[in-house]
Amino acid sequence: MSFQDSHVPHDDSNRDDGNPSERMPDPAAPRLADPGLMVMDVDSTLIDEEVIDELGKAAGLGERIARLTRQAMEGGIDFRQALDARVSLLEGLPLSVLDDVYAGLHFTPGAVDLIDTLHSHGWKVGVVSGGFHEIVDRLAHDARIDHWLANGLGVRDGVLTGRLRGDVVTRDTKLAALRQWAHDDGIPMSQTVAIGDGANDVPMIREARLGIAFCAKPGVQKAAPHRINVRDLRLVLDYLR
């Protein structure tokens, strides 16, 4: 059986209201004691902030960029179009602004504890982000994440060009990363977890055995089998057998 074929279909009758203590038990949920893979979004999931919005503040265009971010995360406008528009507004910012933004970021409560607990049980952890490698690489190092994927910012002569470099991370990229990392790690899809808050995260949330909308936009909560509406990623452990 290929890793794509090993996915166990969702039973949406097990949908919960965002409170893990009140959910129906799922006998097919991934087992913490067996090796598994958790993949999560970065902005507003692994961390409390949206990095592009923080860069927008540094450019003096905070509300303009934040409005585009909200529309993209809700699925109201095309993600690629919104990303290009936001990145273009960053043209001319010095590369050093990334250091300033990184210094002001915060891991979501429970994020590091969740990752450490999963690692202690032989799990792998990946993050896939519509944000930027220049930030995600550092987050991955600090949180001891096993796999990561993000967009790259164009830089010339020490300033941002307002363009992206390389392929853009889309909803399809996120889904493909979940599948590929599971395959590479020898993890069946029945032992996978996906977590996110935006429209781009829905395909991987739907594909993983355990898919969770985390403090997510309304459309994402509607599409996800499970929801957590408290900003504490340790609650993910309550869903594992």
Side-chain angles (χ1 to χ4, degrees), residues 5 21 24 34 69 125 219 237:
D5 294 335
S21 66
M24 296 174 60
D34 296 335
T69 299
V125 177
L237 295 171

Side-chain angles (χ1 to χ4, degrees), residues 190-211:
S190 58
Q191 278 290 114
T192 59
V193 178
I195 307 167
D197 74 303
N200 258 17
D201 301 312
V202 169
M204 72 171 184
I205 288 173
R206 297 287 300 176
E207 178 74 3
R209 174 55 260 180
L210 174 62

Side-chain angles (χ1 to χ4, degrees), residues 26-37:
D26 184 357
R31 285 175 50 86
L32 180 60
D34 296 335
L37 169 69

Side-chain angles (χ1 to χ4, degrees), residues 36-38 115 119 123-127 140 143-148 181 185:
L37 169 69
M38 180 184 71
I115 292 167
H119 278 156
W123 280 56
K124 299 290 187 180
V125 177
V127 295
R144 298 174 295 281
I145 288 166
D146 304 289
H147 308 289
W148 62 96
W181 292 337
D185 292 334

Side-chain angles (χ1 to χ4, degrees), residues 20-121:
S21 66
E22 297 177 2
R23 66 185 177 84
M24 296 174 60
D26 184 357
R31 285 175 50 86
L32 180 60
D34 296 335
L37 169 69
M38 180 184 71
V39 177
M40 72 174 100
D41 178 42
V42 173
D43 296 278
S44 297
T45 303
L46 176 68
I47 60 174
D48 282 329
E49 296 81 10
E50 290 280 340
V51 169
I52 186 70
D53 293 354
E54 298 305 305
L55 290 170
K57 293 175 186 176
L61 298 166
E63 181 49 39
R64 184 175 175 183
I65 287 180
R67 183 168 59 253
L68 287 168
T69 299
R70 288 193 297 271
Q71 292 173 332
M73 291 302 96
E74 292 167 357
I77 56 176
D78 177 73
F79 180 82
R80 173 63 189 264
Q81 179 184 2
L83 181 61
D84 285 343
R86 288 174 291 170
V87 170
S88 71
L89 296 172
L90 304 179
E91 182 179 1
L93 280 181
L95 189 59
S96 60
V97 75
L98 293 167
D99 295 329
D100 298 334
V101 166
Y102 188 76
L105 300 180
H106 305 85
F107 285 110
T108 296
V112 175
D113 287 345
L114 171 62
I115 292 167
D116 288 348
T117 298
L118 293 176
H119 278 156
S120 72
H121 287 84

Side-chain angles (χ1 to χ4, degrees), residues 116-207:
D116 288 348
T117 298
L118 293 176
H119 278 156
S120 72
H121 287 84
W123 280 56
K124 299 290 187 180
V125 177
V127 295
V128 59
S129 174
F132 310 112
H133 264 296
E134 292 76 9
I135 295 293
V136 174
D137 290 356
R138 303 189 216 186
L139 292 169
H141 176 269
D142 289 350
R144 298 174 295 281
I145 288 166
D146 304 289
H147 308 289
W148 62 96
L149 184 62
N151 296 309
L153 288 168
V155 179
R156 184 184 299 117
D157 299 327
V159 300
L160 302 184
T161 64
R163 297 187 177 183
L164 296 166
R165 56 178 175 81
D167 295 334
V168 171
V169 173
T170 65
R171 60 196 292 130
D172 294 331
T173 309
K174 292 191 173 195
L175 175 58
L178 170 69
R179 291 171 169 169
Q180 188 63 53
W181 292 337
H183 177 261
D184 292 346
D185 292 334
I187 303 296
M189 291 300 290
S190 58
Q191 278 290 114
T192 59
V193 178
I195 307 167
D197 74 303
N200 258 17
D201 301 312
V202 169
M204 72 171 184
I205 288 173
R206 297 287 300 176
E207 178 74 3

